[in-house]
Amino acid sequence: MSEVRVRIAPSPSGFLHVGTARTAIFNWLFARHNGGKFILRIEDTDEERSDSAMVEAITDSLKWLGLNWDEGPIFQSQRWDRYTHYLDRIKQSGRVYPCFCTPAELQAKREEAQKNKTDYRYDRTCLRLSPDEIKKKLDAGIPHAWRLQIPDGETRFTDLVYGEMVKQNKDLEDLIICRSDGRPIYNFAVVVDDHEMGITHVIRGNDHQTNTFKQVLIYDALGFPAPEMAHLPLIFDQRKKKISKRDKAANASDYAKEGYLPEAVVNYLAMLGWSPKDDREIMTLPELIEAFDLRGANKSNAIFDPVKMRHFNAEHIRRKTNHDLAVMVAPLLIAADISTKYGLETRWRYLMDVIGLLKDRCGLINEFVEQAACFFQPPTAYDAEGKQKHFNVETADRLDKLADVFDGLADFTHDAVEAALNNLAETLGVKAAQLIHPVRLAVTGRTKGPGLYELLVLIGRQETTARMRAAARYIRDTQAKG
Ligand code: GLU
């Protein structure tokens, strides 16, 4: 096989949509698996709907996902001369004809068809013009579009995912390939670009299947072989609706802000419409590249499940080193005023240990912030429900007593702390849980978290006992006021 060349061709009319991100991932994995090239093309021929700020947003998202491109970005808006060149070529083939019908005339015919409840298809008024009539109109400078004349018969292509595809040409109308203002129509520009860019495989969402038939006909008129075609099942939300731009999951650019890891997003989206045909689900980038094959693409539509994506993220968080996670969490702790740049740089090992303790409990990077706060600051408040349950005059005394015991320990280690707490519980005739819960609340302000003894040891003896005594004081103060 010659070198594989694939592309992603987003239109800059919005942020990188999850469907486009998934298409980009499939193309990128296909290129990397085959040692080929992944090319970025910006489809900005529709000026009203294109926004240059979106180009940057889209490229930023692709970069964040790690989908590096080998060529481009190529902008369609800078290639008008190429489309004109190929329009001239297709004119010579005799397969196109000028259409002088005005938008108003076409609209009237469309409305008429609607009224009669028949399908509208261009009625070929201009195909019936004689060469003389055409010449006269052209010479008079009457505005005209160019239409491709659809031949009789049928159009076929082999879809690498869906198999043999056939359409009866009578179901297609003579499509405009170039507007009267000279701008190419999407289907024509795509064919010209894919041809000039040497694209070997077009891999895209199956909402483009109808376009593919038209594009195959344009290739044919130009006398170029069409690339291999592969369509991917669409992505639906859990109500089986297409994911719209307003949905929370719709924009890949939001995933970073929400605390997703790019490798987790790539992994999850790769599984929407593909599987390695074994029972693996959580895969690293190199594993995905190694396993990726279009034969693993599914035909049935995929369902985007936010809970599952979070699970993928949690698994990828678990696989990251504490250092790498610390690099991501540190700026968030600084932004949340939980620590300072200096504070974290000088206590990097401590930060890594904190991360290590929390990493099985966080599904999103952002969740580290809330859970890590107590390792850097005493609690500013105690969980309300926890207070009701675990704070009373008796616990205040127990917290003081346990703080004294902790102060007297030779070593403040996991086992020593555990034994000391169990001993005191026995002496006081209470269950260990009756100490464990108030201590956690006193030290962290929360009722849940990682293993208590590891947590206390990490926070350190001095800070732990100070917080326990502060909680005891707080309990007595509030009781006295109440
Ligand atoms: N610009 C098209 C889109 O955003 C992609 C066209 C193609 O892949 O051929 O859906």
Side-chain angles (χ1 to χ4, degrees):
M1 185 158 73
S2 59
E3 184 190 55
V4 160
R5 291 173 64 83
V6 292
R7 77 321 191 261
I8 183 70
S11 310
S13 56
F15 292 100
L16 184 67
H17 185 264
V18 58
T20 314
R22 194 272 313 255
T23 299
I25 290 165
F26 275 53
N27 278 283
W28 184 84
L29 288 173
F30 187 72
R32 295 297 170 257
H33 177 87
N34 291 296
K37 295 276 192 297
F38 174 66
I39 301 159
L40 172 61
R41 179 170 81 220
I42 304 291
E43 302 209 323
D44 56 351
T45 49
D46 189 345
E47 278 161 20
E48 293 95 61
R49 295 185 55 219
S50 298
D51 176 352
S52 56
M54 285 304 144
V55 174
E56 203 177 323
I58 289 170
T59 50
D60 282 353
S61 291
L62 290 172
K63 281 185 210 156
W64 179 76
L65 287 167
L67 307 178
N68 58 319
W69 52 93
D70 305 298
E71 292 172 26
I74 293 162
F75 290 85
Q76 286 191 327
S77 60
Q78 292 168 10
R79 293 173 44 78
W80 299 129
D81 59 329
R82 301 316 299 150
Y83 308 125
T84 314
H85 171 83
Y86 285 95
L87 179 64
D88 287 343
R89 182 175 167 133
I90 211 169
K91 280 182 201 166
Q92 282 155 27
S93 75
R95 302 271 290 268
V96 290
Y97 61 92
C99 175
F100 302 92
C101 298
T102 64
E105 284 164 351
L106 294 173
Q107 184 58 23
K109 286 181 186 174
R110 220 172 273 131
E111 281 165 16
E112 181 68 22
Q114 232 167 24
K115 232 194 295 165
N116 302 334
K117 297 207 165 42
T118 52
D119 278 346
Y120 170 78
R121 222 162 279 137
Y122 180 59
D123 61 5
R124 294 187 154 171
T125 304
C126 291
L127 184 64
R128 288 188 293 272
L129 295 174
S130 70
D132 260 7
E133 285 170 305
I134 293 176
K135 189 172 179 309
K136 259 193 227 140
K137 284 180 190 285
L138 289 177
D139 289 348
I142 297 178
H144 55 280
W146 287 90
R147 283 188 190 268
L148 181 75
Q149 184 186 348
I150 304 290
D152 293 338
E154 59 184 27
T155 303
R156 292 178 169 269
F157 66 89
T158 308
D159 192 311
L160 295 180
V161 177
Y162 288 87
E164 233 10 62
M165 306 296 292
V166 189
K167 200 172 193 78
Q168 298 307 313
N169 289 357
K170 63 177 169 41
D171 296 333
L172 295 166
E173 70 170 343
D174 287 355
L175 65 132
I176 292 180
I177 60 165
C178 193
R179 293 185 184 89
S180 56
D181 62 6
R183 281 190 295 161
I185 283 292
Y186 158 75
N187 278 309
F188 182 57
V190 165
V191 168
V192 168
D193 290 343
D194 285 344
H195 172 72
E196 284 220 324
M197 289 158 62
I199 298 301
T200 56
H201 297 74
V202 170
I203 306 169
R204 59 187 171 194
N206 98 32
D207 46 342
H208 282 290
Q209 241 165 20
T210 315
N211 286 327
T212 301
F213 286 107
K214 298 175 185 171
Q215 291 174 17
V216 165
L217 285 162
I218 297 174
Y219 277 110
D220 196 45
L222 281 166
F224 302 144
E228 300 278 1
M229 298 288 181
H231 293 89
L232 309 173
L234 297 184
I235 305 175
F236 288 101
D237 66 15
Q238 284 172 306
R239 290 162 305 155
K240 305 239 162 73
K241 295 222 171 69
K242 253 180 100 169
I243 295 186
S244 86
K245 288 195 172 158
R246 283 181 304 279
D247 279 323
K248 205 166 171 281
N251 297 324
S253 48
D254 291 339
Y255 300 157
K257 278 183 251 153
E258 286 166 21
Y260 283 96
L261 297 174
E263 55 269 51
V265 175
V266 169
N267 185 180
Y268 180 64
L269 295 184
M271 297 295 167
L272 290 184
W274 176 84
S275 81
K277 298 279 178 248
D278 50 35
D279 52 10
R280 281 181 299 171
E281 265 200 330
I282 306 298
M283 295 171 77
T284 62
L285 274 189
E287 285 167 354
L288 284 168
I289 291 171
E290 160 81 34
F292 193 82
D293 184 333
L294 282 175
R295 276 182 296 233
N298 306 325
K299 292 191 185 74
S300 48
N301 290 326
I303 305 288
F304 186 95
D305 176 355
V307 174
K308 195 156 181 197
M309 178 150 114
R310 193 175 176 285
H311 163 71
F312 271 62
N313 205 53
E315 291 293 333
H316 279 274
I317 285 179
R318 227 158 273 167
R319 283 165 171 73
K320 275 200 127 32
T321 64
N322 295 350
H323 172 78
D324 286 349
L325 290 170
V327 170
M328 285 183 257
V329 174
L332 304 180
L333 292 175
I334 297 163
D337 260 342
I338 287 168
S339 188
T340 58
K341 192 163 183 285
Y342 176 77
L344 292 179
E345 274 168 10
T346 47
R347 298 182 75 197
W348 194 253
R349 176 147 293 285
Y350 178 67
L351 174 62
M352 288 205 296
D353 289 343
V354 169
I355 300 271
L357 199 57
L358 298 177
K359 101 186 195 191
D360 283 349
R361 312 180 55 82
C362 294
L364 298 168
I365 293 295
N366 299 9
E367 288 171 9
F368 279 100
V369 178
E370 204 191 338
Q371 298 209 36
C374 68
F375 292 91
F376 296 92
Q377 297 169 337
T380 48
Y382 302 105
D383 177 86
E385 233 174 86
K387 260 195 311 197
Q388 285 270 333
K389 253 180 151 164
H390 307 302
F391 277 3
N392 54 49
V393 209
E394 280 178 326
T395 45
D397 290 342
R398 288 175 198 154
L399 284 170
D400 277 338
K401 283 200 180 106
L402 189 58
D404 292 343
V405 172
F406 283 167
D407 274 340
L409 288 176
D411 294 307
F412 197 67
T413 59
H414 178 286
D415 292 353
V417 171
E418 182 176 13
L421 186 141
N422 285 333
N423 275 342
L424 182 67
E426 221 178 297
T427 316
L428 296 175
V430 298
K431 288 195 198 110
Q434 286 174 278
L435 292 179
I436 289 174
H437 294 307
V439 171
R440 181 187 294 284
L441 188 60
V443 175
T444 68
R446 301 159 62 97
T447 53
K448 290 194 192 89
L452 181 70
Y453 308 122
E454 279 136 309
L455 178 147
L456 298 183
V457 170
L458 194 54
I459 287 180
R461 181 189 338 232
Q462 216 182 341
E463 185 63 24
T464 294
T465 54
R467 290 186 193 181
M468 287 163 68
R469 291 189 176 108
R473 275 197 303 279
Y474 167 85
I475 295 171
R476 289 194 190 97
D477 284 354
T478 43
Q479 298 280 335
K481 275 186 215 138

